[in-house]
Amino acid sequence: MFLLVCAGMVQAEEYAYLVFTNTEGTQTALTVTNLTITVNGAQLDVTNDDGTVNFSLTELASMQFRTEGGELAAVENVLDGDAPVRVFSILGTSLGEFENLVQAASSLTHGVYIITDGKRSVKINIQK
């Protein structure tokens, strides 16, 4: 098991909720208090003070931070779980192409990486 941390331009402290949308459009809102996101095989485990919710990576369409007022912050850095991805070191060196995000994350060692599906890119920190 390993921990996958995605970094963006917003800080979770500014927002009360992280809203996950699956490919069918169903939304699940979780408070960001003590939020931990872990990739476990093809599953995303999200834990906060209220407990743990599990999402299938292949069925996850997006996740967005929201304030209590419902104002949406633009965090569209969720990669398609089924799309081929390229992995780069933090210095920009190509580390290879993978069939999907799960295969890439499973193949990487502890460290910070940039992963792209050709449309979007995310910075991740893997702690094994």
Side-chain angles (χ1 to χ4, degrees):
M1 179 164 48
F2 58 89
L3 176 66
L4 172 75
V5 180
C6 296
M9 295 301 292
V10 288
Q11 295 181 6
E13 299 92 36
E14 299 172 17
Y15 302 95
Y17 300 95
L18 182 56
V19 179
F20 295 86
T21 305
N22 69 15
T23 53
E24 295 177 356
T26 303
Q27 293 188 332
T28 303
L30 301 172
T31 61
V32 298
T33 308
N34 294 321
L35 187 71
T36 303
I37 299 174
T38 307
V39 175
N40 186 8
Q43 182 172 293
L44 186 71
D45 301 328
V46 183
T47 303
N48 65 6
D49 283 347
D50 299 322
T52 300
V53 178
N54 309 93
F55 299 97
S56 169
L57 284 173
T58 59
E59 295 175 9
L60 188 60
S62 69
M63 62 182 185
Q64 301 168 318
F65 286 102
R66 292 191 182 175
T67 64
E68 291 183 85
E71 183 179 327
L72 194 61
V75 179
E76 296 294 336
N77 285 341
V78 176
L79 301 178
D80 180 346
D82 290 326
V85 295
R86 291 191 59 171
V87 178
F88 297 89
S89 72
I90 198 69
L91 299 175
T93 304
S94 177
L95 301 175
E97 295 184 28
F98 297 87
E99 189 175 311
N100 56 46
L101 179 60
V102 172
Q103 183 188 51
S106 298
S107 300
L108 299 171
T109 61
H110 174 83
V112 178
Y113 303 92
I114 305 297
I115 299 181
T116 182
D117 64 5
K119 296 177 187 173
R120 293 168 287 214
S121 298
V122 293
K123 178 179 173 183
I124 64 168
N125 180 13
I126 295 182
Q127 299 175 353
K128 291 189 177 185

